Amino acid sequence: MHRLNYRKWRLPLKPFGNCCIHSYADRTKLHSNLLLGDLSKSGRVDEARQMFDKMPERDEFTWNTMIVAYSNSRRLADAEQLFRSNPVKNTISWNALISGYCKSGSKVEAFNLFWEMQSDGIKPNEYTLGSVLRMCTSLVLLLRGEQIHGHTIKTGFDLDVNVVNGLLAMYAQSKRISEAEYLFDTMAGEKNNVTWTSMLTGYSQNGFAFKAIECFRDLRREGNQSNQYTFPSVLTACASVSACRVGVQVHGCIVKSGFKTNIYVQSALIDMYVKCRDLETARALLEGMEVDDVVSWNSMIVGCVRQGLIEEALSMFGRMHERDMKIDDFTIPSILNCFASSRTEMKIASSAHCLIVKTGYATYKLVNNALVDMYAKRGIMDSALKVFEGMIEKDVISWTALVTGNTHNGSYEEALKLFCNMRVGGIYPDQIVTASVLSASAELTLLEFGQQVHGNYIKSGFPSSLSVNNSLVTMYTKCGSLEDANVIFNSMEIRDLITWTCIIVGYAKNGKAKDSLQSYDLMIGSGITPDYITFIGLLFACSHAGLIEEAQRYFDSMRTVYGITPGPEHYACMIDLFGRSGDFVKAEELLHQMEVEPDATVWKAILAASRKHGNIENGERAAKTLMKLEPNNAVPYVLLSNMYSAAGRQDEAANVRRLMKSRNISKEPGCSWVEEKGKVHSFMSEDRRHPRMVEIYSKVDEMMFLIKEAGYLADMSFALHDLDKEGKELGLAYHSEKLAVAFGLLVVPSGAPIRIIKNLRVCGDCHSAMKYISRVYLRHIILRDSNCFHHFRDGNCSCGDYW
């Protein structure tokens, strides 16, 4: 600093007296205030405070400058301490502190000051209201915002365009579009760019895409200029409804307005073209960007993934890596989705996992959810579980990925256990995990569990979901509860191909062939085109009802009407149908017509038909072919042995059994189970492990006595051949199905159906016995074997004995 020349300053003092002293003091204070302002604006707050403390005189400007400096630096405790010491508080002082608390999201302190300000007799102005409304908008404080709205009406600030803009943004952010619209339509003054942009953004963010587009059109008509905030909002609206033509017009406006190089506008443009499936234009825009914007690259990668361009998505990810772009927690899930939906080598996918760990994203929930989903979809459940267990915070998406993965990979029991753990952990299931759990329940035929999931879904208040409804129809049909399946099906406002296929296959599996075919006709009448799976259900229904002409018509229509090439499953149904009817000539013709190599399903159909009609020659050929196709499968050995035994060729039967033993092939033991009060009770032939076995065997003896009196005769062809007649009858009496139905008679309330599941096909003797039991005990017995459902009522079966 220059040394002051005291003589120079002293000379004028004599003629002017005290006036010069005041002038000098005013100049000094002005100079100090200007210096204080410069220090605070440059962020040198501590130096400003030192100067503030040394100033002999402080006016309103001095105090306010220091309070504003602390407030802008988010040092709110210091700001409030100074504010409380301020002897000359004015509106600026209050606004500075309130604004600081609002920006930091300290809603309690901000509102306390807002009301205290008024109690001290200081009226809030448009800047005070603007600060508070911006906080209400960012924190979505609707109730507080409504209180401020009431205050603006009382004080007349509801006519101020800036205050109204703040209210409009607050209502839009709170999803109260009708209130925002009312404010917009009834504005007293002229709307400015902020007004139009707030309304347009509100429409766009709340799903009113077409209104957002109309608002943009009206904005242009009124002569208002669009900006870097307006364009992204209308482009987002165009993207959400795939309004590509409008988006192209907006693109033209952007070029004319000079915003084509704005990074936010460019990013929104690329996202719009991607979501409108115009990847070529999006790619050209991305290549033309001067700055590598990670958001734009993310949009492009997501677009490629959604359109199945996995290789291109991975290539773009590689280019991002080469350019040293900052890959974020939105890029990585998209790339993991590529690995989940493609057959890319897991070594490459694992390297992506390593990259996640190295870049520090292993703690991000969004990334971990994508990792669990990727491993689960690739069937690597141990890795999926390891990532899941390492997550600090798990949400419904985390659980859904793991539960769904287990369901898709056939680990149905594990899926249900995880679902129960999820509920115990306080996580409420969404529609996706509900559909997955219902599918697992269907595969395990756990009706009671499925009903509980259904009940919880209804209580959750979720809106009707097509995927959940489809899963419910499937679950109820696979559990043999056609009445419940029909209730869901008939209540559905929207039905797709999956819905109709579920009900068609469901009827077929439950022995309701005519209902299955009628449902097909209704589906065609509703304009739905059948697919590969639909025809499997139709042909299955025909084959289990002996409907040869109908089956031939459907089979022919696959190729001629719908252009579907029949697969092994379709041929198996047709060959099974001809075989059941004993027409082996047509079955053989169809076998030779197959465009694909007959698989095990086809040969099993031939073998089953051969056994039924005692056609040993065809049976031998089918069995030997099956032994080559499925060397570890015991079925061809057992059926061929039974065929020889039934024909009296005991030596050949013994040879087949010895061959089976020499190859270490064992027959899967028959097992039947009954679900009762959430517990599954399983039984095997002549099983004595159940705690109530004495009662069960007593019930079996009673049961067999009563049905014999009603006309039942044991079918010895299904008994072991190395026993005498009495031993054979006892062996048949204690088959797993009969033990299970005896237990059902003991525990299932009268009037409720007895539901039995068997892992193998029900034997002919048990099938006959079940018909008599249903008539003698007046019970509805539902038996699901490995092939279909059998509904026994009044001495009849839904299959019509054509099984």
Side-chain angles (χ1 to χ4, degrees):
M1 293 179 67
H2 296 290
R3 186 173 295 175
L4 292 174
N5 189 333
Y6 288 100
R7 292 183 179 179
K8 181 180 178 182
W9 284 98
R10 284 177 184 171
L11 288 173
L13 292 180
K14 289 183 179 178
F16 298 107
N18 290 334
C19 291
C20 286
I21 296 173
H22 290 301
S23 176
Y24 169 69
D26 289 340
R27 287 182 190 177
T28 303
K29 185 165 65 176
L30 177 62
H31 176 73
S32 299
N33 281 344
L34 290 174
L35 183 57
L36 184 70
D38 289 340
L39 289 171
S40 63
K41 287 175 183 176
S42 62
R44 296 155 68 184
V45 181
D46 291 328
E47 292 178 53
R49 181 58 192 263
Q50 289 174 8
M51 182 177 178
F52 175 85
D53 290 338
K54 292 176 181 178
M55 291 175 68
E57 292 186 43
R58 306 182 189 107
D59 57 13
E60 289 181 357
F61 179 86
T62 313
W63 285 93
N64 289 339
T65 299
M66 201 61 233
I67 293 169
V68 169
Y70 276 134
S71 180
N72 289 341
S73 301
R74 302 294 175 91
R75 292 169 61 172
L76 297 175
D78 293 327
E80 181 154 3
Q81 183 184 21
L82 206 61
F83 172 83
R84 297 299 176 190
S85 305
N86 184 3
V88 284
K89 296 184 188 73
N90 59 13
T91 307
I92 297 172
S93 317
W94 288 94
N95 284 351
L97 191 57
I98 290 172
S99 175
Y101 279 121
C102 287
K103 287 176 182 176
S104 67
S106 304
K107 57 185 179 181
V108 175
E109 292 83 355
F111 278 110
N112 285 343
L113 281 167
F114 179 75
W115 303 123
E116 184 186 340
M117 173 184 187
Q118 295 169 72
S119 65
D120 277 10
I122 307 295
K123 292 183 179 180
N125 58 19
E126 65 271 26
Y127 301 108
T128 323
L129 296 169
S131 293
V132 177
L133 285 171
R134 278 191 292 275
M135 182 180 66
C136 291
T137 303
S138 62
L139 299 179
V140 197
L141 304 174
L142 177 61
L143 184 60
R144 291 290 195 179
E146 288 175 330
Q147 292 174 346
I148 301 301
H149 190 180
H151 178 81
T152 63
I153 294 171
K154 289 179 182 178
T155 55
F157 278 107
D158 59 325
L159 301 178
D160 184 279
V161 66
N162 294 318
V163 173
V164 174
N165 288 344
L167 286 167
L168 199 154
M170 183 273 297
Y171 281 120
Q173 185 67 24
S174 302
K175 302 186 185 300
R176 298 284 284 270
I177 288 296
S178 56
E179 283 87 342
E181 271 184 325
Y182 177 79
L183 283 171
F184 183 80
D185 293 336
T186 58
M187 278 186 72
E190 187 176 340
K191 301 177 180 73
N192 59 21
N193 276 0
V194 177
T195 316
W196 284 98
T197 301
S198 296
M199 193 69 243
L200 196 159
T201 304
Y203 280 137
S204 182
Q205 290 179 346
N206 287 279
F208 296 91
F210 292 109
K211 285 192 173 186
I213 293 169
E214 288 175 5
C215 188
F216 179 76
R217 179 200 61 196
D218 294 341
L219 176 155
R220 302 282 297 178
R221 283 179 180 173
E222 293 290 326
N224 285 276
Q225 295 299 313
S226 305
N227 56 33
Q228 68 268 33
Y229 304 108
T230 318
F231 287 125
S233 293
V234 72
L235 288 169
T236 300
C238 292
S240 67
V241 292
S242 298
C244 192
R245 290 180 63 185
V246 179
V248 171
Q249 292 174 357
V250 175
H251 191 173
C253 294
I254 290 168
V255 174
K256 290 179 181 178
S257 303
F259 283 98
K260 66 177 183 178
T261 57
N262 183 280
I263 192 167
Y264 300 109
V265 175
Q266 285 179 317
S267 179
L269 262 175
I270 290 168
D271 186 62
M272 185 274 295
Y273 280 117
V274 164
K275 287 178 178 173
C276 290
R277 305 180 74 83
D278 185 356
L279 292 183
E280 189 176 343
T281 304
R283 194 180 295 109
L285 285 169
L286 186 68
E287 296 294 343
M289 290 182 72
E290 296 178 1
V291 179
D292 284 333
D293 174 46
V294 69
V295 175
S296 303
W297 282 77
N298 285 348
S299 297
M300 196 69 200
I301 289 173
V302 169
C304 291
V305 173
R306 286 177 178 169
Q307 294 193 38
L309 304 173
I310 304 301
E311 295 302 322
E312 185 169 348
L314 292 173
S315 174
M316 291 198 70
F317 178 69
R319 289 170 61 194
M320 287 181 75
H321 206 51
E322 288 170 5
R323 295 188 183 200
D324 289 328
M325 292 177 64
K326 183 174 172 57
I327 295 166
D328 62 16
D329 55 325
F330 292 98
T331 317
I332 293 170
S334 300
I335 294 305
L336 291 174
N337 196 17
C338 289
F339 295 127
S341 57
S342 74
R343 294 294 94 190
T344 312
E345 286 188 26
M346 276 311 300
K347 190 179 288 185
I348 302 174
S350 299
S351 66
H353 192 171
C354 293
L355 178 65
I356 289 166
V357 174
K358 286 179 182 177
T359 52
Y361 285 112
T363 58
Y364 282 60
K365 184 168 64 177
L366 188 68
V367 173
N368 280 322
N369 285 346
L371 268 173
V372 173
D373 184 62
M374 179 198 73
Y375 282 123
K377 284 180 178 175
R378 296 296 293 265
I380 310 172
M381 295 310 302
D382 53 344
S383 295
L385 185 62
K386 190 174 181 180
V387 174
F388 178 82
E389 289 177 342
M391 292 176 67
I392 298 171
E393 183 185 355
K394 304 176 183 75
D395 59 10
V396 68
I397 299 171
S398 323
W399 286 95
T400 298
L402 200 60
V403 171
T404 304
N406 277 286
T407 300
H408 287 169
N409 287 287
S411 301
Y412 306 118
E413 290 186 25
E414 186 63 26
L416 299 189
K417 287 178 185 176
L418 283 165
F419 179 75
C420 293
N421 291 338
M422 167 184 160
R423 297 291 287 117
V424 170
I427 303 293
Y428 289 93
D430 62 6
Q431 295 161 324
I432 299 172
V433 74
T434 300
S436 182
V437 167
L438 287 169
S439 297
S441 302
E443 295 301 326
L444 295 173
T445 328
L446 296 176
L447 178 63
E448 289 183 22
F449 191 91
Q451 287 173 325
Q452 291 174 12
V453 174
H454 185 188
N456 284 332
Y457 181 76
I458 293 171
K459 290 177 183 177
S460 70
F462 277 114
S464 179
S465 163
L466 183 60
S467 63
V468 172
N469 285 335
N470 286 343
S471 295
L472 281 168
V473 172
T474 303
M475 187 271 294
Y476 281 122
T477 56
K478 285 192 174 183
C479 291
S481 184
L482 287 178
E483 297 84 358
D484 291 318
N486 280 323
V487 169
I488 300 298
F489 180 83
N490 293 329
S491 69
M492 292 174 68
E493 296 180 4
I494 300 173
R495 302 184 185 113
D496 62 2
L497 175 61
I498 296 172
T499 317
W500 286 101
T501 300
C502 286
I503 203 72
I504 288 168
V505 173
Y507 279 133
K509 289 282 187 179
N510 282 272
K512 301 281 187 180
K514 290 184 179 178
D515 291 323
S516 185
L517 304 192
Q518 285 174 3
S519 296
Y520 175 76
D521 292 336
L522 290 172
M523 183 189 84
I524 298 299
S526 69
I528 303 289
T529 303
D531 68 355
Y532 189 96
I533 305 297
T534 313
F535 281 106
I536 293 177
L538 276 175
L539 296 176
F540 183 92
C542 293
S543 72
H544 284 71
L547 303 175
I548 297 175
E549 291 181 8
E550 289 87 344
Q552 190 67 61
R553 188 172 68 251
Y554 293 131
F555 185 77
D556 293 339
S557 72
M558 285 180 66
R559 193 187 304 275
T560 58
V561 179
Y562 300 106
I564 300 171
T565 302
E569 301 92 341
H570 305 106
Y571 281 106
C573 287
M574 293 299 293
I575 290 170
D576 182 58
L577 177 58
F578 289 132
R580 284 171 187 271
S581 66
D583 193 343
F584 285 94
V585 175
K586 281 192 176 180
E588 191 71 26
E589 287 177 2
L590 201 59
L591 186 67
H592 291 300
Q593 289 174 14
M594 288 183 66
E595 297 176 11
V596 294
E597 191 70 25
D599 66 0
T601 310
V602 175
W603 289 107
K604 283 176 185 175
I606 294 173
L607 180 57
S610 300
R611 180 181 184 276
K612 179 179 180 180
H613 293 282
N615 191 326
I616 293 180
E617 185 181 346
N618 276 334
E620 285 176 332
R621 182 173 60 133
K624 288 175 181 177
T625 306
L626 273 171
M627 289 174 190
K628 292 178 182 177
L629 291 173
E630 296 181 347
N632 296 318
N633 190 348
V635 170
Y637 296 91
V638 173
L639 290 183
L640 185 59
S641 173
N642 290 342
M643 285 178 69
Y644 285 139
S645 296
R649 297 160 63 171
Q650 300 300 336
D651 290 342
E652 289 168 282
N655 287 337
V656 173
R657 290 195 291 271
R658 277 194 295 271
L659 177 64
M660 182 177 170
K661 187 175 182 180
S662 68
R663 293 178 178 177
N664 292 320
I665 297 169
S666 57
K667 177 181 176 292
E668 183 183 2
C671 181
S672 301
W673 58 91
V674 177
E675 185 183 3
E676 185 253 341
K677 294 182 179 178
K679 186 178 179 182
V680 176
H681 302 262
S682 61
F683 303 91
M684 299 177 76
S685 290
E686 301 186 30
D687 197 346
R688 297 183 182 275
R689 296 170 302 166
H690 197 278
R692 298 183 64 176
M693 195 47 67
V694 174
E695 294 174 80
I696 292 170
Y697 269 76
S698 175
K699 195 69 177 178
V700 169
D701 294 340
E702 172 197 293
M703 201 169 64
M704 298 307 294
F705 174 78
L706 291 175
I707 64 174
K708 281 179 183 177
E709 283 197 335
Y712 160 78
L713 290 173
D715 189 342
M716 298 300 180
S717 66
F718 292 94
L720 294 174
H721 294 283
D722 53 354
L723 297 174
D724 58 19
K725 184 181 177 182
E726 186 179 351
K728 287 180 180 181
E729 281 198 22
L730 283 174
L732 290 172
Y734 301 133
H735 273 193
S736 66
E737 300 98 311
K738 294 188 182 80
L739 294 176
V741 77
F743 177 73
L745 289 170
L746 289 171
V747 300
V748 178
S750 178
I754 299 171
R755 301 177 185 277
I756 303 166
I757 311 300
K758 187 175 181 185
N759 61 332
L760 305 176
R761 294 194 70 175
V762 61
C763 84
D765 178 71
C766 286
H767 189 272
S768 175
M770 291 293 174
K771 291 196 293 184
Y772 282 98
I773 294 167
S774 71
R775 188 171 71 191
V776 169
Y777 287 93
L778 301 176
R779 298 299 294 262
H780 178 197
I781 302 169
I782 303 172
L783 171 62
R784 176 186 171 180
D785 67 10
S786 61
N787 197 39
C788 65
F789 274 96
H790 300 269
H791 291 256
F792 299 97
R793 291 178 189 264
D794 303 321
N796 298 303
C797 181
S798 58
C799 71
D801 294 340
Y802 200 88
W803 61 281

